[in-house]
Amino acid sequence: MNNNLDLLMDQAADLINKYDNIYICSHVQPDGDNIGSTLALYMAICKIKDKVNVIKVDEIPSDFLFLPNSQVFQEYSTEMPVDLFIALDSSDIERLGPGKSLLKKAKKIINIDHHVTNDNFGDVNIVLPSASATGEIVYSFIKHMNIEIDKDIATCLYTAISTDTGRFMYSNTTYETHLIASDLLNTGLDLNLVNIHLYQNRSIERTRLFLEALYNMELYLDDQIGIATVTQEMLSKHNAKLEDTEGIVSFIRDTDTIEVACLLKEISEKEIKVSLRSKKSVDVSTIALKFGGGGHIRAAGCTIYDAIDNVKNIVLEEIQKSFR
Ligand code: 5GP
Ligand code: MN
């Protein structure tokens, strides 16, 4: 670990020791890395402080309710007295949704993240794009604070890392990732149970939504680009939720000819959530940035406020440009 990182972690630990009203806030449409990192840091800080508050700004997907302490998430309220605000896995303050107003009230902000597009909005910014998941950084931070990583904390961190690396397969997976995973497994966490909850727990509704979205996938540029859509109508037809779209875009990328996979999710008539994935050469974070979003080179996203057909056209045009 380099000196600068040690220094940043010292600064963050000092803030945690100093303040009483500590809030960890998850981001909109929270994923496994965000939820796992949040719960792990919550449990770690609980070992040295009387109270830590954990805020949700969106529902926690049912996939993650098996995690220890998943019930600690509270709804955000404007009354909350915030001294220290901790954001995890959020590349900019817009990712925090209404949590942004808590952040604005805070005396100090700790920003722990691994997105290349992070804009360093904190007073202390521990931003490491080389980390496969925010969970990796939280692991190092908990160690840095000399707090024991017990089985429950390990379960949350393992979930964070496993989900953000696509089960240790994506290009962000490193030697370090595996060392950390190995240390987490050494706590005796129930790997089979975690894997069943995360990967062998798909509802029939989700399966049907997957099938329709994939069946109607459109291909462009000699089948190098694949675009699928999920509309509100499809969600109601299959009695599925927005969180049930998780995994569709990476499934498209797994197609042999595909370099860029795109999923358009209709949140409402003129609000479309775009998910982008690439395989080898295209940097999708720069595409997402053009629309005010962000992410990683191989996985990024943004929200575009327009009808789904228009969004498809403008996003497709940007994706095509990225091949030139
Ligand atoms: P997903 O497609 O799974 O929603 O997101 C893929 C990656 O892009 C995640 O790392 C996520 O944090 C990032 N991302 C998705 N949507 C947005 C967005 O609207 N803004 C920013 N800054 N990042 C996003
Ligand atoms: Mn992440």
Side-chain angles (χ1 to χ4, degrees), residues 101-289:
S101 60
L102 289 183
L103 171 142
K104 294 238 158 98
K105 288 206 302 205
K107 294 179 183 144
K108 291 286 176 195
I109 300 162
I110 299 175
N111 164 22
I112 301 180
D113 186 30
H114 70 132
H115 291 94
V116 248
T117 55
N118 191 291
D119 61 12
N120 295 309
F121 57 83
D123 295 293
V124 178
N125 299 291
I126 308 179
V127 177
L128 295 176
S130 62
S132 71
T134 298
E136 267 195 31
I137 312 172
V138 171
Y139 166 89
S140 304
F141 182 49
I142 295 174
K143 288 245 155 190
H144 186 92
M145 291 194 290
N146 283 317
I147 297 171
E148 189 208 341
I149 297 192
D150 60 28
K151 208 189 282 191
D152 283 349
I153 295 179
T155 299
C156 293
L157 291 175
Y158 191 91
T159 295
I161 297 169
S162 175
T163 53
D164 248 30
T165 56
R167 313 179 201 184
F168 303 92
M169 184 186 70
Y170 299 158
S171 57
N172 57 0
T173 309
T174 64
Y175 164 81
E176 275 283 321
T177 313
H178 282 284
L179 285 181
I180 294 171
S182 157
D183 197 33
L184 296 175
L185 290 178
N186 204 24
T187 63
L189 69 85
D190 191 337
L191 182 61
N192 191 40
L193 194 75
V194 170
N195 281 330
I196 289 172
H197 277 296
L198 294 178
Y199 307 119
Q200 295 173 336
N201 200 25
R202 190 194 308 121
S203 66
I204 300 298
E205 290 80 8
R206 183 180 286 204
T207 300
R208 295 210 166 103
L209 181 72
F210 254 66
L211 290 172
E212 184 174 353
L214 291 167
Y215 186 77
N216 294 308
M217 170 177 77
E218 293 175 14
L219 296 165
Y220 299 92
L221 212 71
D222 299 327
D223 303 347
Q224 293 182 95
I225 302 170
I227 302 188
T229 55
V230 170
T231 59
Q232 284 296 324
E233 195 189 334
M234 287 162 73
L235 292 177
S236 19
K237 177 175 159 194
H238 298 295
N239 194 21
K241 295 193 218 135
L242 211 58
E243 68 189 61
D244 292 319
T245 58
E246 186 64 42
I248 295 177
V249 70
S250 50
F251 194 95
I252 297 172
R253 173 173 56 185
D254 290 348
T255 311
D256 55 359
T257 55
I258 296 286
E259 170 58 25
V260 176
C262 174
L263 179 67
L264 306 174
K265 293 171 268 187
E266 188 183 46
I267 311 284
S268 61
E269 205 183 322
K270 289 211 162 176
E271 181 180 352
I272 310 299
K273 176 83 211 170
V274 182
S275 280
L276 294 161
R277 298 291 184 273
S278 66
K279 195 181 281 171
K280 280 192 286 207
S281 53
V282 172
D283 175 357
V284 287
S285 74
T286 58
I287 301 174
L289 267 179

Side-chain angles (χ1 to χ4, degrees), residues 61-89:
S62 55
D63 291 6
F64 303 115
L65 294 178
F66 77 97
L67 289 173
N69 284 300
S70 65
Q71 73 290 349
V72 299
F73 283 95
Q74 315 169 49
E75 301 275 344
Y76 130 94
S77 121
T78 46
E79 310 298 300
M80 290 166 163
V82 192
D83 291 330
L84 178 62
F85 185 100
I86 305 176
L88 300 173
D89 201 42

